[in-house]
Amino acid sequence: MAHNRVKESCSDQAVYYLVTNRIAGGRMLFKDVEKYKFKELLFAGSAKLSYQVIDYVFMDNHFHLLIKVPPTSEMDDLELLSRYRLYRKNEEINFINSEQKDDFREQIHDISFIIGNFEQRFVQWFNREHQSWGRLFGQRFDSEMIEVSAQSDSLLRVMAYISLNPVRAGIVTDPKDFFFCGYADRLAGGSVGDCDNDFFDLFCRNIETEDEKSKRKHFREVFRAYMLGLRRYKNADSQTLAEFFREVNLSEKLAWDDLFIHKCRFFTKCLVIGSEAFVREKLAKFSGKMKWKRIHEPYTEDEWNDIYSLKPRRRSG
């Protein structure tokens, strides 16, 4: 079923998204070979479309991505044409007119097109590999717009949420030991860490250094301390289960899918994550277009250190 999505294309600033999708029925279909293919297609696609992978984790039945979509003005016409030729698999093709060129520029900066292209290519490969057919994912992917600024540590929290997936699942005790995640990738010097020196300027304000390599190193040290400080929370991405049971008046014998949906509610079942001011800004900008049946307000929990999400609530009365 189609659902609302908050997204925008900016000519002068990057936009960040947390992206999640799950296999239909919760089946555990992603083994090592599927995860390798996920990574291959994800990074290969960035040469044709306009995005950068900031973080990722590939689990047995779902994935999380943190995607940066750069400003549209950052790409000149020569680079745009190069990506168009890669996308069309034709080294001699040209744009018919300026309208087609502008449409393609917008398209490759659109999170729906970027992830839709990635998922389609993976499903086609998966069906060929396993001689299967039909849908693989249970629904359209979820996406949340993330604030990346010195006013909020939302980026760190989202990265920690992604990296701690295999820890919460009991696969490893330290995310550096899980091969299919961005944290292990960036420690190994992978391209997933190319933006880390930019994040140093936002989150390492008390550390003085001008060397780019040192900036990346210090940011990763700060992030590791931040992430491991959250590891004690078994359900750090939502209310405690006890609070949830009291709120909805249910026993603790919930079906696995109820537990799963509850666990992902704060991060993957909202639309925006950031400071209260950031969430209110996006609420004011997009609420008129969404045709919501419920009231939406910034939502947070005590342990979230002033990080808010955009969460619907029922109308009173």
Side-chain angles (χ1 to χ4, degrees):
M1 182 176 68
H3 58 275
N4 295 320
R5 193 185 305 285
V6 170
K7 61 180 182 178
E8 56 186 341
S9 178
C10 296
S11 63
D12 59 347
Q13 61 181 346
V15 186
Y16 293 77
Y17 299 93
L18 170 64
V19 174
T20 303
N21 212 346
R22 305 166 182 85
I23 297 177
R27 295 170 295 168
M28 303 292 185
L29 299 182
F30 295 159
K31 309 305 180 186
D32 284 1
V33 65
E34 285 78 21
K35 294 171 186 174
Y36 274 112
K37 193 64 179 182
F38 252 133
K39 183 175 179 180
E40 175 191 329
L41 292 175
L42 180 64
F43 284 89
S46 65
K48 296 181 292 185
L49 311 182
S50 187
Y51 66 90
Q52 185 172 3
V53 182
I54 303 301
D55 215 343
Y56 67 88
V57 67
F58 303 138
M59 304 296 287
D60 290 352
N61 66 346
H62 69 282
F63 67 81
H64 298 291
L65 311 174
L66 180 56
I67 299 293
K68 173 186 176 182
V69 180
T72 56
S73 60
E74 198 172 271
M75 186 176 297
D76 60 29
D77 289 350
L78 188 61
E79 182 182 355
L80 186 68
L81 179 59
S82 175
R83 290 178 186 255
Y84 182 64
R85 288 173 172 174
L86 282 172
Y87 177 72
R88 296 293 299 271
K89 299 180 181 179
N90 185 335
E91 295 182 359
E92 297 181 356
I93 195 171
N94 288 295
F95 293 113
I96 297 173
N97 50 42
S98 59
E99 182 179 358
Q100 185 190 43
K101 180 175 66 177
D102 292 342
D103 287 345
F104 184 71
R105 187 189 301 275
E106 288 297 320
Q107 192 176 47
I108 65 173
H109 288 82
D110 186 303
I111 191 65
S112 295
F113 184 79
I114 290 168
I115 303 302
N117 181 271
F118 161 65
E119 288 187 342
Q120 181 183 43
R121 293 169 66 213
F122 177 79
V123 172
Q124 288 172 345
W125 171 86
F126 184 92
N127 286 341
R128 287 195 305 269
E129 186 76 7
H130 296 278
Q131 297 182 345
S132 59
W133 59 275
R135 296 182 61 181
L136 176 63
F137 296 105
Q139 59 184 3
R140 292 175 60 201
F141 68 89
D142 292 314
S143 67
E144 289 73 37
M145 188 182 298
I146 310 300
E147 178 179 13
V148 178
S149 74
Q151 285 68 52
S152 173
D153 58 354
S154 303
L155 175 76
L156 297 177
R157 194 77 192 223
V158 170
M159 290 176 63
Y161 169 75
I162 292 173
S163 298
L164 290 173
N165 260 253
V167 176
R168 287 194 297 269
I171 300 172
V172 294
T173 57
D174 193 314
K176 69 179 176 60
D177 299 320
F178 187 72
F179 184 79
F180 298 103
C181 75
Y183 183 69
D185 201 340
R186 64 184 3 105
L187 291 183
S191 61
V192 74
D194 286 351
C195 278
D196 286 358
N197 59 316
D198 297 330
F199 300 148
F200 169 90
D201 296 331
L202 294 176
F203 302 110
C204 306
R205 293 181 290 275
N206 295 324
I207 302 174
E208 295 184 4
T209 182
E210 295 181 358
D211 177 72
E212 297 297 317
K213 184 176 180 180
S214 295
K215 286 185 176 183
R216 288 193 293 271
K217 176 178 179 292
H218 284 304
F219 169 73
R220 292 167 192 177
E221 290 173 348
V222 168
F223 170 64
R224 180 171 178 81
Y226 182 94
M227 173 179 61
L228 297 185
L230 301 176
R231 191 170 56 183
R232 66 183 183 275
Y233 295 112
K234 181 66 176 177
N235 294 290
D237 47 302
S238 61
Q239 298 166 287
T240 66
L241 290 178
E243 290 171 334
F244 174 69
F245 296 138
R246 288 197 300 269
E247 177 184 308
V248 299
N249 195 26
L250 291 175
S251 72
E252 297 196 10
K253 295 181 179 179
L254 293 182
W256 73 267
D257 52 340
D258 292 326
L259 286 167
F260 187 78
I261 290 172
H262 162 66
K263 186 176 179 181
C264 296
R265 178 183 293 178
F266 191 95
F267 271 143
T268 63
K269 297 298 177 184
C270 64
L271 299 168
V272 181
I273 298 172
S275 63
E276 183 177 7
F278 181 80
V279 173
R280 289 196 180 281
E281 175 194 339
K282 301 307 176 185
L283 178 61
K285 182 174 182 178
F286 291 99
S287 59
K289 304 176 183 178
M290 303 303 263
K291 299 181 181 179
W292 283 322
K293 295 180 180 179
R294 294 185 179 183
I295 300 170
H296 284 65
E297 291 290 341
Y299 169 83
T300 191
E301 290 287 333
D302 290 342
E303 69 270 21
W304 281 97
N305 192 30
D306 291 328
I307 298 175
Y308 288 76
S309 68
L310 189 54
K311 182 180 178 182
R313 62 182 174 86
R314 297 184 183 277
R315 292 181 183 273
S316 59

